[in-house]
Amino acid sequence: MQKERTIGTTTLKTPYIGMGTWAIGGGTWWGENDDALSIRTIEEAIDRGIVWFDTAPVYGIGHSENVVGKAIKQNRSRILLSTKCGLEWDHETPCFHKVMEGRNVYRDLSAAAIRKNLEDSLRRLQTDYIDIYYTHWQTPDFSLYPLEETMDALLQLKKEGKIRAIGASNVTAKIIEKYCSLGQLDVIQEKYSLLDTHIADELLPVCQKHHVSIQAYSPLEQGLLTGKVTQDTVLSPTDVRNKNKFWAQKSRLHILNVLQKLTPYTEKYSCSLSNLIIYLTAASLPDLHVLCGARKPEQIIDNVKTLSLNLEEADLSEMSQLFEQLRNSIR
């Protein structure tokens, strides 16, 4: 499997594994976080060849970007950095998103908001450009913030050299088509795992048509596919994973049974279950980029081992069939 992959039609190239930094924002979603440890984790990732780092202003209400900025300051030219726009907590808009960290967060993809979001991110990240700039959540009513205005603002920022590539997250095929009719969309970021493959049918065809890359987040289903979860694992009532249907007891039983069947492969390739799952995920769609979160150096060290794997086609096929059967059993 090809280790390095291009982003859209750009000249930007990266190993297929990137590092997500939502968790290092801490807060009510992720709990207390050790910033010094997060910085060491990012530095470890850079030293081990991870190139793409993804964050967003709303992760920890600016905290993730601040931590990332400190961690990459001495290595900015060695990495690709993505962040996002479109979610506001400084002012109210007609489009309420949700309450995050005790703040009312609103969607705003107007030209003025996009530029303000970018300038704020540049300051927190201690850089003067962003490699990949995503619209985080789309406007449910495009009469409020026309996509033409949004894309025009992004193209202008690219012309000014403040961003190098344009991305969009949480989109539909129709929205991708509209973006591409207005200019080059380089990449989308969507939830995707070996359990949740809906974008393969819904979004992949239009992305291939317009040469738009896909970056998958939550490939390990919030830790469920790491092998560290058991049927007896109990989540606190406030844990966000209670909303994940795959964590439900009935589904979890089927999933854990399949994961046990992968033991001969982890032994054969001398790898962790996470390595195996990340590799299978990256191989499941053409040129897929896989975003893996980490808060500790040992997590990064393990993730990077995936890049040295080279699974035999027969094994890859057998494991892919196992997950296809699993998906059919838990629908």
Side-chain angles (χ1 to χ4, degrees):
M1 185 170 67
Q2 186 177 9
K3 174 181 173 181
E4 194 171 69
R5 299 177 177 184
T6 303
I7 300 173
T9 60
T10 73
T11 59
L12 305 178
K13 292 185 177 182
T14 169
Y16 60 79
I17 294 176
M19 179 178 162
T21 65
W22 183 11
I24 71 173
T28 55
W29 280 80
W30 298 101
E32 291 299 317
N33 198 64
D34 183 335
D35 291 347
L37 187 63
S38 295
I39 290 171
R40 289 205 303 273
T41 302
I42 293 171
E43 291 172 342
E44 184 76 44
I46 295 171
D47 288 343
R48 291 179 179 268
I50 294 296
V51 172
W52 192 346
F53 294 84
D54 179 76
T55 185
V58 80
Y59 297 164
I61 308 297
H63 189 64
S64 176
E65 285 192 329
N66 279 324
V67 175
V68 172
K70 293 174 184 176
I72 67 169
K73 190 174 182 180
Q74 304 302 320
N75 293 287
R76 180 65 183 93
S77 62
R78 297 171 60 188
I79 70 161
L80 297 179
L81 179 63
S82 60
T83 191
K84 306 173 183 75
C85 62
L87 293 183
E88 287 284 351
W89 62 87
D90 286 340
H91 65 265
E92 183 176 340
T93 80
C95 186
F96 178 72
H97 181 63
K98 64 172 68 171
V99 175
M100 301 183 74
E101 308 304 331
R103 306 282 191 95
N104 287 339
V105 176
Y106 301 87
R107 300 188 195 183
D108 188 343
L109 282 172
S110 65
I114 290 171
R115 186 168 287 275
K116 178 184 179 298
N117 286 171
L118 179 66
E119 294 301 333
D120 288 342
S121 289
L122 292 176
R123 173 177 48 78
R124 286 189 290 260
L125 290 163
Q126 302 184 56
T127 185
D128 56 4
Y129 70 98
I130 301 297
D131 296 286
I132 304 100
Y133 201 46
Y134 288 106
T135 52
H136 202 159
W137 282 88
Q138 308 307 307
T139 305
D141 179 1
F142 285 105
S143 66
L144 181 61
Y145 304 118
L147 197 48
E148 290 83 354
E149 178 183 353
T150 298
M151 193 57 160
D152 184 64
L154 294 170
L155 290 170
Q156 183 59 37
L157 291 173
K158 190 173 182 179
K159 184 178 180 180
E160 294 172 14
K162 292 190 172 183
I163 66 175
R164 299 175 69 192
I166 295 172
S169 187
N170 304 300
V171 291
T172 64
K174 186 176 180 180
I175 291 174
I176 294 171
E177 286 280 9
K178 183 64 174 177
Y179 267 110
C180 292
S181 73
L182 298 168
Q184 181 61 49
L185 182 66
D186 299 300
V187 58
I188 62 169
Q189 186 186 95
E190 298 292 322
K191 184 180 184 299
Y192 178 81
S193 73
L194 295 174
L195 302 179
D196 184 0
T197 61
H198 70 279
I199 68 169
D201 295 324
E202 297 171 13
L203 303 183
L204 180 61
V206 67
C207 286
Q208 290 183 314
K209 174 184 174 183
H210 294 288
H211 307 289
V212 178
S213 291
I214 300 175
Q215 185 182 51
Y217 68 82
S218 293
L220 297 174
E221 282 296 343
Q222 298 174 308
L224 181 58
L225 298 179
T226 62
K228 299 175 183 177
V229 176
T230 70
Q231 195 65 14
D232 297 325
T233 299
V234 177
L235 302 175
S236 72
T238 58
D239 196 305
V240 68
R241 290 172 292 186
N242 286 306
K243 298 179 181 179
N244 187 327
K245 66 179 182 180
F246 300 116
W247 276 78
Q249 288 290 328
K250 185 177 179 181
S251 296
R252 199 193 307 182
L253 181 62
H254 290 294
I255 293 163
L256 295 180
N257 285 337
V258 169
L259 294 182
Q260 284 186 332
K261 295 177 181 179
L262 300 182
T263 300
Y265 300 104
T266 58
E267 293 175 348
K268 177 178 179 178
Y269 292 103
S270 301
C271 67
S272 69
L273 183 59
S274 294
N275 295 157
L276 208 60
I277 296 298
I278 294 168
Y279 187 101
L280 289 171
T281 304
S284 65
L285 292 182
D287 300 317
L288 185 68
H289 297 267
V290 182
L291 192 61
C292 302
R295 288 202 278 184
K296 300 176 182 179
E298 53 264 35
Q299 293 171 327
I300 277 293
I301 292 169
D302 185 62
N303 288 347
V304 170
K305 291 178 182 176
T306 307
L307 296 172
S308 64
L309 291 181
N310 188 19
L311 272 58
E312 296 175 9
E313 285 298 323
D315 291 339
L316 193 59
S317 177
E318 288 173 6
M319 285 183 279
S320 297
Q321 288 176 20
L322 278 175
F323 277 97
E324 183 177 0
Q325 293 165 5
L326 174 60
R327 289 192 295 271
N328 290 334
S329 71
I330 60 178
R331 280 178 179 170

